[in-house]
C-alpha cells in the first residue's frame, strides 16, 4: 500500500490586512478554501492554477513557512503545525526565480552553508556537495560567486540546495518560471530523474505542457479550491469529445471571431501574438459544432488553420474559464 | 546533547560566513569605526578647551569606543533580518531544520566581534589628541571586553527579533542606541541621572562594562570586578533568554499572519 506523502483535509488559509488611509478597515482574503488532497510517496504531482489561485500559499504551508488557519496538513505522516521539526528535516523547498540565494557566496559555499543548516554529517558534506553540483551541472562554476550566474544556473543551484540533504519530498514552486526553453528543459530533466530515483515531488506550475510531460497526476486549483484531480492522460482523454482548432488571423479578424464566438456555450478560446503581426487563436468546442466553427473561421480569412488533439491546456481552459495566455 | 552543541556551533559559523561574505562594509564601518573616532575627537577637544583632558580621559575614550561597538551591533541586528528578507532567503531559513535565530546570531555576533576594532582606534585617537590613557589592570580590561562582546551579542538578538516584525528598520536602529547610552552612564557619572534612571541602568550591561573598564584604567578594579562581571553575566543570560523567547514567538506570529516575506 502506498504511503501518503501529503495529506490535506479541509485546509483553509485566510490573510487579514488593513486598508484605507484614514478609516482603516479590516480586509480578509481566503487564499485556500477547504482543500482536500492526498499525494502518495513516489508520485510526481502537479498543482496547476492561475495567479492568485493559492498554489504558493499551499506550498508554503507544506513547507511550514506558513501556518494553516484551519484544517489538517500532514507531510510524510507528520502534522505541519505540531511536528514542524521532523517535517523540515524530510522536505526540500525550491522556489522559482532568482531570489533565495546569497549573491556574494560562491555556489559551493552556498551549498556548504545549507549543509550545515540541514545537519549533514561533516564527514560526508564535501562529497555530497560535489555530487549535487555534478548532478545539476555546476561543478565547473562552483567556486564563482552566485551573482555572476545566469538565471538558469541560479535555478539549478536552487535545485541543488533543495536536494542536498536527500529529502523524501521535494516541493517545487514554479521552478521553471522565467527560464528560457533550454534552461527550463534542463530543470525538467533533473526533476524527472529525481522522481525516477524515488523522490516524491510536488510541483506547482503555470505551464501545462510541463505538467503534462512530467506529472503522473495533476490537480487544478482555482480561487483556493481544488477543482479536479486526475492523471493528465485521463483528463485529455475525457476531453476527447472536444475538438481543438488553432487559427492564425489578422488581429482585427481575430477580434471579430472572438466576438462572434464569445458567450457561446461550451466554446473556450485562448489567444497569443505570434510575433509576425498575427494572432494565434486556439478554440476548443464540442465535436458536434465543428461545422459551424469552420464556417465562422472561413469568413475571417485565416492564414493557417490546424486541428490538434486536446491537451491539458484545453482541459484547464475549459475548467477554469477563458483566460488570455501570454507566452 | 554534544551533537546539538556541535550542530549549533556549525550554524553560528555558517551565519558568520554569510555575514563576512555580505560585507556591508560601508554602513558598518561608519557606525562601528568612523563615528566613534569622530565622537572621540569632539569629546577630547572639548575637554582640552576646558583644561580637563587627563581628568576626564577614561570617559572621553571609553564612551565613544563602547558606543561604536553597540552601534555596530544594533546596525547588524537590524540589517541581518532585512538582508535575509531582501535576498529571499528568510523563508528558506524558516523552512530549514536549523533554528533561524542561530543563523542571525552568527551574523550579528561576527559584526560585534569586528566592531571591537573601534576600541584600539579610539584609544589611539585619544592619545594623538592628548588624552593619555594607561590601562593599569589589563586583566580586568580584557574581562570587561569579553563581557562587552557576549552581552552585546545577546542583546542584539532582542533587537533582531523585533526587527522581524518591522518593514523599515532604519529610523529605529538610529534612535534605539541613544537611550541605552544615556542609561549606561558611559559618558558621564551615573550620579547625574535621576534615581529611577539609575535603577533602570542596572539592567544595561553597558553600564557595568563601562564601570569595569574605567576601573581597569584607574587601577582600582578590585572592588568592581566581581559585581560587574556578575551583573554582565546575569544580564547577558537574561538578554539571551529574552531574545530566544522573543524570536520564537515572533517567528510563529509571522508564520501565522503571513508576514514572513513582508510582501517581498
Amino acid at each position: 500500500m502506498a504511503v501518503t506523502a501529503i495529506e490535506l483535509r479541509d485546509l483553509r488559509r485566510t490573510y487579514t490586512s488593513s486598508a484605507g488611509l484614514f478609516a482603516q478597515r479590516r480586509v480578509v482574503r481566503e487564499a485556500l478554501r477547504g482543500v482536500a488532497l492526498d499525494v502518495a510517496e513516489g508520485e510526481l504531482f502537479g498543482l496547476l492554477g492561475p495567479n492568485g489561485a493559492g498554489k504558493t500559499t499551499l506550498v508554503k504551508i507544506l513547507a511550514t513557512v506558513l501556518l494553516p488557519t484551519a484544517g489538517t496538513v500532514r507531510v510524510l505522516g507528520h502534522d505541519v503545525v505540531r511536528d514542524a521539526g521532523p517535517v523540515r528535516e524530510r522536505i526540500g523547498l525550491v522556489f522559482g526565480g532568482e531570489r533565495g540565494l546569497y549573491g556574494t557566496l560562491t555556489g559551493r559555499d552556498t551549498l556548504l552553508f545549507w549543509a550545515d543548516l540541514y545537519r549533514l554529517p561533516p564527514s560526508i558534506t564535501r562529497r555530497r556537495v560535489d555530487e549535487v553540483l555534478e548532478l545539476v551541472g555546476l561543478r565547473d562554476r562552483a567556486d564563482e560567486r552566485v551573482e555572476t550566474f545566469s538565471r538558469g544556473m541560479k535555478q539549478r543551484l536552487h535545485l541543488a540546495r533543495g536536494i542536498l540533504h536527500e529529502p523524501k519530498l521535494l516541493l517545487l514552486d514554479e521552478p521553471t518560471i522565467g527560464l528560457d526553453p533550454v534552461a527550463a528543459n534542463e530543470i525538467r530533466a533533473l526533476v524527472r530523474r529525481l522522481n525516477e530515483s524515488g523522490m516524491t515531488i510536488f510541483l506547482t506550475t503555470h505551464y501545462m505542457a510541463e505538467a503534462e510531460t512530467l506529472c503522473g497526476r495533476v490537480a487544478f486549483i482555482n480561487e483556493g479550491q481544488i477543482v479536479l484531480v486526475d492523471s493528465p492522460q485521463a483528463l485529455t482523454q475525457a476531453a476527447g469529445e472536444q475538438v481543438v482548432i488553432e487559427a492564425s488571423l489578422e488581429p482585427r479578424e481575430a477580434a471579430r471571431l472572438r466576438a462572434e464566438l464569445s458567450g457561446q456555450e461550451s466554446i473556450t478560446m485562448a489567444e497569443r501574438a505570434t510575433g509576425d503581426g498575427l494572432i494565434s487563436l486556439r478554440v476548443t468546442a464540442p465535436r458536434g459544432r465543428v461545422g459551424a466553427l469552420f464556417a465562422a473561421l472561413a469568413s475571417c480569412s485565416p492564414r493557417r488553420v490546424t486541428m490538434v488533439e486536446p491537451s491539458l491546456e484545453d482541459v484547464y481552459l475549459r475548467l477554469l474559464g477563458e483566460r488570455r495566455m501570454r507566452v | 546533547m554534544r551533537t546539538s552543541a556541535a550542530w549549533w556551533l556549525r550554524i553560528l559559523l555558517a551565519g558568520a560566513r554569510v555575514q563576512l561574505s555580505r560585507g556591508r562594509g560601508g554602513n558598518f564601518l561608519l557606525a562601528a569605526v568612523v563615528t566613534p573616532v569622530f565622537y572621540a575627537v569632539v569629546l577630547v577637544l572639548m575637554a582640552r578647551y576646558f583644561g580637563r583632558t587627563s581628568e576626564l580621559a577614561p570617559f572621553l575614550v571609553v564612551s565613544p569606543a563602547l558606543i561604536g561597538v553597540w552601534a555596530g551591533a544594533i546596525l547588524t541586528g537590524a540589517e541581518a533580518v532585512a538582508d535575509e528578507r531582501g535576498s529571499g532567503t528568510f523563508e528558506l531559513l524558516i523552512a530549514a531544520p536549523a533554528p533561524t535565530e542561530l543563523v542571525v546570531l552568527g551574523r550579528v555576533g561576527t559584526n560585534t566581534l569586528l566592531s571591537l576594532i573601534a576600541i584600539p582606534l579610539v584609544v589611539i585617537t585619544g592619545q594623538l589628541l592628548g588624552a593619555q590613557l594607561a590601562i593599569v589592570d589589563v586583566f580586568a580590561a580584557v574581562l570587561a571586553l569579553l563581557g562587552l562582546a557576549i552581552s552585546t551579542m545577546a542583546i542584539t538578538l532582542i533587537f533582531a527579533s523585533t526587527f522581524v516584525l518591522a518593514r523599515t528598520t532604519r529610523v529605529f536602529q538610529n534612535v534605539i542606541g541613544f537611550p541605552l547610552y544615556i542609561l549606561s552612564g558611559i559618558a558621564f557619572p551615573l550620579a547625574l541621572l535621576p534615581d529611577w534612571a539609575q535603577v533602570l541602568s542596572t539592567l544595561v550591561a553597558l553600564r557595568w562594562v563601562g564601570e569595569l573598564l574605567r576601573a581597569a584604567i584607574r587601577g582600582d578594579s578590585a572592588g568592581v570586578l566581581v559585581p560587574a562581571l556578575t551583573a554582565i553575566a546575569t544580564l547577558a543570560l537574561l538578554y539571551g533568554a529574552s531574545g530566544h523567547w522573543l524570536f520564537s514567538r515572533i517567528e510563529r506570529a509571522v508564520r501565522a499572519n503571513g508576514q514572513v516575506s513582508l510582501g517581498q
Side-chain angles (χ1 to χ4, degrees):
Chain A
M1 195 182 84
V3 180
T4 309
I6 295 173
E7 190 182 327
L8 309 177
R9 295 289 178 269
D10 195 25
L11 169 61
R12 292 171 189 277
R13 171 72 214 194
T14 56
Y15 291 102
T16 307
S17 57
S18 52
L21 192 58
F22 298 110
Q24 294 259 314
R25 64 180 194 282
R26 206 160 155 258
V27 179
V28 178
R29 187 173 65 81
E30 274 192 299
L32 296 174
R33 301 187 295 156
V35 172
L37 187 68
D38 286 309
V39 176
E41 270 193 16
E43 269 198 277
L44 202 170
F45 190 93
L47 183 66
L48 311 174
N51 290 330
K55 301 188 297 295
T56 299
T57 295
L58 180 49
V59 168
K60 287 182 178 177
I61 289 173
L62 292 172
T64 76
V65 174
L66 267 181
L67 291 171
T69 307
T72 308
V73 182
R74 295 181 74 80
V75 170
L76 299 162
H78 297 277
D79 186 283
V80 293
V81 180
R82 288 195 303 272
D83 297 331
V87 172
R88 290 171 180 172
E89 285 168 12
R90 290 165 174 78
I91 63 165
L93 172 64
V94 176
F95 291 120
E98 299 194 45
R99 301 181 74 250
L101 295 166
Y102 301 107
T104 49
L105 288 181
T106 66
R108 186 186 306 282
D109 287 341
T110 298
L111 297 182
L112 289 171
F113 170 81
W114 290 103
D116 287 338
L117 268 59
Y118 276 88
R119 209 175 185 166
L120 255 69
S123 56
I124 66 154
T125 296
R126 296 230 162 236
R127 181 169 51 80
R128 180 63 188 153
V129 165
D130 281 339
E131 271 174 18
V132 292
L133 283 168
E134 184 74 42
L135 183 71
V136 301
L138 285 176
R139 198 156 179 184
D140 293 342
R141 302 281 301 271
D143 296 310
E144 294 176 30
R145 280 187 167 201
V146 171
E147 62 197 7
T148 66
F149 284 11
S150 69
R151 199 164 181 163
M153 289 166 68
K154 284 178 180 167
Q155 196 57 46
R156 280 185 276 149
L157 184 61
H158 268 309
L159 200 55
R161 179 191 51 72
I163 61 172
L164 185 63
H165 55 296
E166 299 181 84
K168 286 182 179 300
L169 170 66
L170 183 62
L171 304 170
L172 300 173
D173 188 23
E174 303 191 21
T176 57
I177 194 161
L179 296 184
D180 64 60
V182 174
N185 274 338
E186 286 171 353
I187 295 290
R188 286 173 196 136
L190 281 168
V191 170
R192 189 178 291 113
R193 279 172 64 188
L194 291 169
N195 180 243
E196 284 166 1
S197 72
M199 193 179 286
T200 309
I201 293 176
F202 186 86
L203 165 85
T204 77
T205 182
H206 275 120
Y207 305 125
M208 300 299 134
E210 180 170 286
E212 198 165 355
T213 54
L214 282 178
C215 299
R217 282 196 310 149
V218 294
F220 291 150
I221 187 169
N222 192 34
E223 296 177 350
Q225 290 181 309
I226 299 286
V227 182
L228 191 70
V229 185
D230 213 330
S231 68
Q233 293 75 17
L235 290 173
T236 49
Q237 273 170 19
E241 292 306 308
Q242 305 280 312
V243 290
V244 180
I245 293 167
E246 281 184 351
S248 296
L249 302 150
E250 294 286 347
R252 203 179 54 182
E253 296 297 329
R256 193 161 68 82
L257 186 63
R258 281 179 64 86
E260 190 177 335
L261 297 178
S262 65
Q264 291 194 27
E265 207 176 330
S266 309
I267 290 183
T268 56
M269 289 172 285
E271 69 172 48
R272 64 183 169 90
T274 58
D276 54 2
L278 297 176
I279 298 292
S280 174
L281 199 62
R282 189 178 172 99
V283 185
T284 307
R287 284 196 185 277
R289 304 187 67 173
V290 171
L293 201 54
F294 272 106
L297 265 171
S299 69
C300 298
S301 310
R303 299 287 180 85
R304 191 175 64 246
V305 178
T306 321
M307 205 160 150
V308 296
E309 286 299 313
S311 67
L312 200 57
E313 183 170 322
D314 301 304
V315 180
Y316 175 91
L317 286 170
R318 198 156 54 85
L319 271 172
L320 303 187
E322 184 186 20
R323 298 177 66 89
R324 276 174 194 276
M325 304 299 285
R326 292 194 174 87
V327 177
Chain B
M1 187 68 191
R2 220 177 77 186
T3 317
S4 281
W7 185 40
W8 292 347
L9 183 62
R10 283 176 71 190
I11 301 165
L12 285 170
L13 292 175
R17 290 201 304 275
V18 165
Q19 185 60 39
L20 289 173
S21 84
R22 302 303 276 169
R24 302 276 165 196
N27 286 347
F28 175 70
L29 281 176
L30 277 174
V33 179
V34 178
T35 307
V37 168
F38 283 141
Y39 274 137
V41 171
V42 170
L43 292 175
V44 173
L45 289 181
M46 281 170 66
R48 265 175 70 173
Y49 178 74
F50 290 107
R52 300 178 66 185
T53 313
S54 46
E55 177 195 349
L56 295 176
F59 282 109
L60 301 177
V61 176
V62 167
S63 60
L66 297 188
I67 285 173
V69 174
W70 269 46
I74 291 169
L75 176 89
T76 317
E79 292 209 335
V81 172
D83 183 41
E84 296 292 354
R85 280 207 169 104
S87 306
T89 43
F90 198 54
E91 289 179 325
L92 298 173
L93 288 178
I94 286 183
T100 305
E101 65 192 90
L102 286 184
V103 177
V104 173
L105 191 59
R107 293 190 63 167
V108 297
T110 304
N111 268 16
T112 301
L113 292 177
L114 288 176
S115 67
L116 292 177
I117 197 173
I119 291 171
L121 286 176
V122 166
V123 170
I124 292 168
T125 306
Q127 302 273 11
L128 289 174
L129 294 173
Q132 299 299 323
L133 204 67
I135 297 173
V136 179
D137 188 346
V138 177
F139 178 67
V142 169
L143 286 178
L145 293 182
L146 192 66
L148 170 68
I150 293 170
S151 59
T152 308
M153 275 188 244
I155 201 167
T156 310
L157 190 58
I158 297 178
F159 295 141
S161 307
T162 53
F163 291 139
V164 172
L165 289 173
R167 279 177 192 275
T168 54
T169 57
R170 292 273 172 199
V171 176
F172 188 63
Q173 81 190 37
N174 283 333
V175 171
I176 186 65
F178 287 98
L180 294 170
Y181 306 147
I182 293 169
L183 274 179
S184 67
I186 52 174
F188 50 81
L190 272 170
L192 293 178
L193 289 177
D195 290 344
W196 62 266
Q198 288 188 43
V199 173
L200 271 184
S201 79
T202 58
L203 297 174
V204 182
L206 207 52
R207 166 201 164 145
W208 302 102
V209 172
E211 280 193 9
L212 187 53
L213 263 182
R214 285 193 300 271
I217 291 167
R218 291 189 305 262
D220 59 358
S221 57
V224 182
L225 186 66
V226 174
L229 286 180
T230 307
I232 293 167
T234 309
L235 289 171
L237 277 175
L238 185 69
Y239 296 161
S242 308
H244 168 68
W245 183 84
L246 258 181
F247 206 101
S248 324
R249 293 297 177 283
I250 291 173
E251 185 185 308
R252 190 173 172 89
V254 292
R255 285 171 62 213
N257 64 24
Q259 291 189 331
V260 173
S261 60
L262 276 180
Q264 292 283 345

